[in-house]
Amino acid sequence: MDKGLHFTLCVVTAVLLLKESSQAGEEKDPELLAAPSLGTDSRGTGEGLPTLTVTTILEDPYVMVRGAELEGYCMELLAALAGMLRFQYRVKVVGDGQYGAVTAGGNWSGMIGEILRREADIAVAPLTVTSAREEVVSFTTPFLQTGIGILLRKDTTSQDMSFFHFLSPFSKETWTALLFAYLLTCFCLFLVARLSPCEWNEPKNEENHFTFLNSLWFGAGALALQGATPRPQALSVRVIAVVWWLFTLALLAAYIANFTALLSSGSEQLPIQTFEDLVKQRNLEFGTLEGSSTFYYFKNSKNPIHQMIYEYMEKRREHVLVKTYQEAVQRVMDSNYAFIGESISQDLAAARHCNLIRAPEVIGARGFGIATAQASPWTKPLSIAVLKLREAGDLDYLRNKWWESSCLRQSRDRWG
């Protein structure tokens, strides 16, 4: 009887101890045990490590929602940094969907505002490093380099080949210099032949003489790789002729190579090559993200062309400024609209949508950095970790992984 009572007491005591231990564990860290909801993501590298609140913004391919989790370039970058610096993190999407700009009341919106209000510890997103943002928060070493480009739809920028499209391989200056070299060489042929007794002391007939007109005809024949009469007899005239022939061979080789490259790339059909071309044309509207660093770049620029772009966008801001990057890409595809924004994001859009193209000119070199609070102890370690990832080639790997062109993949599948 005593043994049965003793066994029962032991069992009851063990059950009570296990229940109390379970309740204590739940009270200790309920946030880490809770399942993440849509738009948030809680991950870690181990127990007892510091936990950072990370703010970000939904933008393909940096951060995207897949089921109940977030994925993308920035998420993989964040996971790599957490593994190197040994911290846990909780990711939240910025509430107002903005990157960060000064509002009319003097406060900061977007991810910058959340860091200033201590709602987040760091911001890992395609956040451009600017002087205005650097005054209120700290940035790490940029993990991506970019600039400002123009995103266009191919069929809105294509034009019929002009009659003089064969002149496109060389610039106007090059063609002018070539004409000058041709005339100078022909004059030298005429002058040296006139002074040489081997050319002018045998007056068989006038056609065999190196007159100026005959010299022009001889030089033109060399440019077309065709033989022309009269043929030089004097050694001095032959030396000039050989030098001119060698020059024309090199010139034609460069012309054919450049013309072939232009035909294969289709760049000769882009009437909008620069921002100056964008301002001069009247067929396309153009704009950028409202409140973005790109908008303020044109606002603060002293360049006359950039000032014209800013004045255009400011006067028509209700029609040309867009709220999100996805809206901008969709508008470019659906209407006569040119989007001015980060060139690296435009490269992604051109890789995903085969009917889009980015204009060649890129201005305002800049970088994407991780934002932290000023005097944060995480700023320097994060910068060092980013540099290590770059030196190891991990950043290049992520860049190639998330910017893979679907157009190239379709071409490979088509040609098998």
Side-chain angles (χ1 to χ4, degrees), residues 144-171:
L144 270 179
Q145 299 293 335
T146 182
I148 300 176
I150 308 171
L151 184 66
L152 308 157
R153 197 172 74 246
K154 290 182 179 179
D155 57 0
T156 60
T157 61
S158 62
Q159 60 181 10
D160 296 333
M161 287 187 179
S162 65
F163 180 76
F164 297 100
H165 74 277
F166 64 90
L167 299 176
S168 56
F170 292 152
S171 63

Side-chain angles (χ1 to χ4, degrees), residues 261-327:
L262 286 174
L263 290 178
S264 61
S265 64
S267 296
E268 80 285 354
Q269 298 183 11
L270 270 182
I272 300 178
Q273 301 273 345
T274 65
F275 285 88
E276 184 176 359
D277 297 334
L278 184 65
V279 172
K280 290 180 179 179
Q281 59 83 37
R282 293 294 180 267
N283 297 325
L284 298 178
E285 292 183 321
F286 53 88
T288 186
L289 289 174
E290 184 178 4
S292 64
S293 60
T294 300
F295 179 81
Y296 289 101
Y297 173 86
F298 288 100
K299 179 180 180 180
N300 300 325
S301 176
K302 305 300 182 184
N303 187 302
I305 299 298
H306 299 170
Q307 279 295 307
M308 294 174 64
I309 293 176
Y310 167 72
E311 292 173 1
Y312 174 89
M313 293 189 297
E314 180 64 26
K315 292 178 180 178
R316 300 168 177 82
R317 61 182 305 131
E318 298 296 331
H319 303 286
V320 300
L321 298 184
V322 293
K323 302 294 183 181
T324 64
Y325 174 76
Q326 289 78 11
E327 179 187 349

Side-chain angles (χ1 to χ4, degrees), residues 12-13 61 80 89 120 205 235 265 313 328 331 401:
V12 172
T13 304
Y89 57 89
N205 54 62
L235 178 61
S265 64
M313 293 189 297
R331 186 168 177 181
K401 174 183 177 181

Side-chain angles (χ1 to χ4, degrees), residues 144-210:
L144 270 179
Q145 299 293 335
T146 182
I148 300 176
I150 308 171
L151 184 66
L152 308 157
R153 197 172 74 246
K154 290 182 179 179
D155 57 0
T156 60
T157 61
S158 62
Q159 60 181 10
D160 296 333
M161 287 187 179
S162 65
F163 180 76
F164 297 100
H165 74 277
F166 64 90
L167 299 176
S168 56
F170 292 152
S171 63
K172 295 179 181 179
E173 293 78 8
T174 304
W175 287 116
T176 303
L178 175 60
L179 178 61
F180 178 77
Y182 165 71
L183 294 176
L184 180 62
T185 303
C186 293
F187 178 76
C188 290
L189 282 172
F190 163 72
L191 183 62
V192 174
R194 184 68 179 85
L195 297 177
S196 175
C198 297
E199 296 291 344
W200 283 78
N201 282 350
E202 299 179 3
K204 297 178 181 179
N205 54 62
E206 190 65 23
E207 294 179 354
N208 292 332
H209 292 169
F210 258 93

Side-chain angles (χ1 to χ4, degrees), residues 166-171 174-175 178 223 225 245-263:
F166 64 90
L167 299 176
S168 56
F170 292 152
S171 63
T174 304
W175 287 116
L178 175 60
L223 282 174
L225 296 182
W245 269 83
L246 292 176
F247 171 76
T248 56
L249 287 174
L251 181 72
L252 289 174
Y255 176 86
I256 294 172
N258 290 341
F259 194 65
T260 303
L262 286 174
L263 290 178

Side-chain angles (χ1 to χ4, degrees), residues 323-343:
K323 302 294 183 181
T324 64
Y325 174 76
Q326 289 78 11
E327 179 187 349
V329 174
Q330 192 63 41
R331 186 168 177 181
V332 172
M333 293 191 296
D334 296 341
S335 62
N336 291 334
Y337 180 78
F339 173 61
I340 302 174
E342 302 293 347
S343 60

